Amino acid sequence: MVAEDLEMSLAASLAAMASLDAAGLEDVRLQWLGKAGILTGRLKALGAMTPEARKAEGAALNDCKERLNQALSARRAALDEEALAARLERERIDVTAPARPEPVGAIHPISRTLEEITAIFGAMGFTVKEGPDIEDDWHAFGALNIPGHHPARAMMDTFYLNASLGNRPALLRPHTSSVQVRTMLTQAPPIRIIVPGRTYRSDHDATHSPMFHQTEGLVIGRDITLGHLKGCLIDFLRMFFGNPALPVRFRASYFPFTEPSMEVDIGWNRKTGEIGKGGDWLEILGSGMVHPNVLANCGIDPREFQGFAFGVGIERITMLKHGIADLRLFYESDVRWLRHYGAAPLSPAMLHEGV
Ligand code: PHE
């Protein structure tokens, strides 16, 4: 063969490739196929040959070129594979290593109770209303038929601010009942709302905090009766405490903004704290039929409409449900306490499971 003289050095080059890296391979390529490469020179020389000689020499040179290129790309592929294998080895992940513990948060019991209350009343067709924490004394007291001499107006209960809203004294709302007023003033009956929110009173001990939470309820319609009030609150309490047989008692009481008014008690055991049995009664919330004066103050004709209202302390029912002894712990931001009493963040309150 015409290019036989190349065979020896080509075979040497091909054999040497097995130990070359990418740069070494490039040197070999240039040595043969670069501008001044061995094959390049021989290919150029073809032009000056006789047709027969050119045919034979050309075929042989092309054969050399092909073998060289094949060997080069085979070696490059092998190098790539080696590099990948090395990298996989280097970046290997030990899937058997124990997981690093990630900090998982918990839903605060107060938030959880608010979620549960919203789920229960939501299923009964109530919507959620909110109102301002800073109120004037008409929305907090006057419109609610609480006369100027009523003890709830005294400084010891209510935080008055050194300011006024419009020309009325400003204060931190001592109950969520002010949002009843705001709703009736802006929304025509029928009304069916709950009002979860913060409330403030000048009190501080194991069962009272100057800031606490309430949920108000208000239902107004043409034919809303005390029977509706009782049915609604009995259902709520039984659902909330997860006891379909929970004893519930309505006890005549007094609130300036309801007539008649009733405290609602649930059955419990005074000695063990167990809820639902034991023959003792525990006061749990205030309720009543909305006073005609309140309806009239809020622009609703009491001869045409009537309804009921209630107010429940969130800390109180949360403490009872979970056996929390001291209300102050709710606000101490102790993670150990939260981990114990908090709710799983990814399991929202849903009625079909019981709240
Ligand atoms: N606002 C009353 C309180 O804070 C609770 C209540 C609300 C009572 C509505 C009757 C009707 O104690």
Side-chain angles (χ1 to χ4, degrees):
M1 190 184 280
V2 185
E4 246 166 35
D5 56 315
L6 292 180
E7 198 51 45
M8 289 280 282
S9 49
L10 182 63
S13 281
L14 295 183
M17 273 186 204
S19 59
L20 293 182
D21 62 5
L25 290 181
E26 183 58 8
D27 288 343
V28 174
R29 192 187 68 80
L30 291 173
Q31 185 197 341
W32 286 88
L33 294 167
K35 260 193 189 148
I38 303 169
L39 275 173
T40 316
R42 294 284 286 256
L43 284 162
K44 266 188 202 149
L46 286 177
M49 290 187 175
T50 63
E52 301 88 76
R54 186 189 307 142
K55 203 172 170 194
E57 169 90 347
L61 291 178
N62 275 334
D63 179 60
C64 289
K65 188 175 170 184
E66 201 161 302
R67 281 155 65 206
L68 185 77
N69 276 333
Q70 252 168 29
L72 283 169
S73 47
R75 177 63 189 152
R76 279 195 202 105
L79 282 173
D80 284 351
E81 215 161 287
E82 266 171 42
L84 182 63
R87 192 166 157 215
L88 285 175
E89 187 57 37
R90 206 166 51 241
E91 297 177 4
R92 187 197 200 94
I93 293 169
D94 182 0
V95 291
T96 65
R100 241 173 300 144
E102 294 291 337
V104 173
I107 303 293
H108 194 281
I110 295 293
S111 305
R112 175 69 189 186
T113 296
L114 291 175
E115 273 180 22
E116 292 177 0
I117 290 178
T118 306
I120 296 169
F121 282 103
M124 295 191 216
F126 284 70
T127 53
V128 172
K129 279 269 174 193
E130 291 183 320
D133 290 18
I134 297 175
E135 267 297 2
D136 62 66
D137 74 339
W138 186 77
H139 285 91
F141 298 130
L144 288 163
N145 200 35
I146 302 176
H149 58 263
H150 194 280
R153 286 215 178 191
M155 290 294 289
M156 55 189 168
D157 286 324
T158 305
F159 291 113
Y160 282 87
L161 302 176
N162 198 6
S164 53
L165 285 169
N167 50 7
R168 296 166 179 156
L171 48 83
L172 295 177
R173 65 178 180 189
H175 53 186
T176 42
S177 303
S178 49
V179 188
Q180 283 190 33
V181 176
R182 292 186 172 276
T183 305
M184 287 189 275
L185 285 170
T186 53
Q187 186 182 325
I191 294 172
R192 206 187 291 179
I193 57 156
I194 53 166
V195 184
R198 288 197 189 94
T199 43
Y200 307 83
R201 286 183 203 178
S202 175
D203 256 340
H204 204 191
D205 59 36
T207 53
H208 296 88
S209 150
M211 188 283 296
F212 60 106
H213 298 76
Q214 282 191 341
T215 295
E216 193 82 6
L218 176 70
V219 176
I220 305 284
R222 284 180 205 280
D223 47 14
I224 300 297
T225 69
L226 197 115
H228 293 122
L229 180 162
K230 291 177 73 174
C232 178
L233 291 178
I234 291 171
D235 277 358
F236 161 63
L237 290 169
R238 290 186 172 164
M239 189 70 119
F240 180 77
F241 287 105
N243 177 356
L246 180 73
V248 180
R249 177 174 82 169
F250 292 81
R251 182 167 39 85
S253 182
Y254 171 77
F255 296 103
F257 33 90
T258 46
E259 183 59 37
S261 304
M262 294 173 299
E263 302 284 359
V264 185
D265 302 338
I266 57 171
W268 79 316
N269 185 325
R270 193 186 303 277
K271 287 210 189 82
T272 63
E274 207 180 342
I275 288 172
K277 39 184 97 140
D280 300 313
W281 291 103
L282 181 67
E283 181 186 314
I284 201 136
L285 58 90
S287 68
M289 299 302 291
V290 179
H291 197 292
N293 288 354
V294 175
L295 292 172
N297 288 341
C298 299
I300 292 177
D301 187 347
R303 288 165 305 183
E304 225 185 302
F305 293 100
Q306 59 181 26
F308 66 85
F310 58 89
V312 53
I314 303 305
E315 281 77 355
R316 182 159 172 69
I317 59 171
T318 307
M319 289 167 81
L320 288 168
K321 182 167 177 170
H322 302 290
I324 298 170
D326 192 328
L327 176 141
R328 289 168 290 204
L329 297 170
F330 280 119
Y331 313 113
E332 282 184 359
S333 303
D334 183 333
V335 237
R336 292 162 306 174
W337 182 88
L338 186 60
R339 227 170 265 145
H340 182 77
Y341 288 106
L346 293 180
S347 65
M350 289 199 283
L351 291 189
H352 67 273
E353 294 172 335
V355 290

